[in-house]
Amino acid sequence: MPGFDPCYGYTLEQLLRIAPPPQPWDFESFWRSRYERAMQLEPQPRLTPGNGSHPDYDCYDLAYRSTGDFEIGGWALIPKRGPVTRGVVVGHGYGG
């Protein structure tokens, strides 16, 4: 993808110097509540053929329902040969 800069112009050294914000006071209870709500729903995952192509993988679009009836999307690459032995999830953040 031309022009895509996941570092937003920062060098590795600059990125490593960024300090995280303090943990919110309700961090654990917030995420525990999110987890409990997510475990109560049926995500209804859907794989549909994607537009990408790769010599070693079949490319699919992936979508599923999350809490609040919010749809989450992504991509799945499945090997064309051999068994699937592991899965990797890569998160990219919110809009960048």
Side-chain angles (χ1 to χ4, degrees):
M1 174 186 296
F4 176 66
D5 178 14
C7 297
Y8 292 93
Y10 287 91
T11 66
L12 175 60
E13 293 76 25
Q14 290 170 318
L15 289 169
L16 291 172
R17 285 197 303 265
I18 296 173
Q23 177 176 308
W25 66 270
D26 63 342
F27 182 85
E28 182 178 352
S29 63
F30 172 83
W31 287 109
R32 186 173 307 280
S33 171
R34 296 285 301 169
Y35 172 78
E36 289 168 0
R37 283 188 284 157
M39 294 305 292
Q40 297 303 311
L41 62 87
E42 293 291 332
Q44 303 169 351
R46 297 170 311 283
L47 281 179
T48 56
N51 292 328
S53 65
H54 190 280
D56 299 322
Y57 298 93
D58 290 323
C59 303
Y60 295 91
D61 292 327
L62 166 68
Y64 63 94
R65 304 306 292 177
S66 185
T67 56
D69 204 31
F70 185 81
E71 183 169 279
I72 296 176
W75 304 273
L77 300 176
I78 300 176
K80 290 184 177 184
R81 293 170 291 286
V84 175
T85 58
R86 65 187 62 116
V88 178
V89 175
V90 178
H92 63 78
Y94 301 96

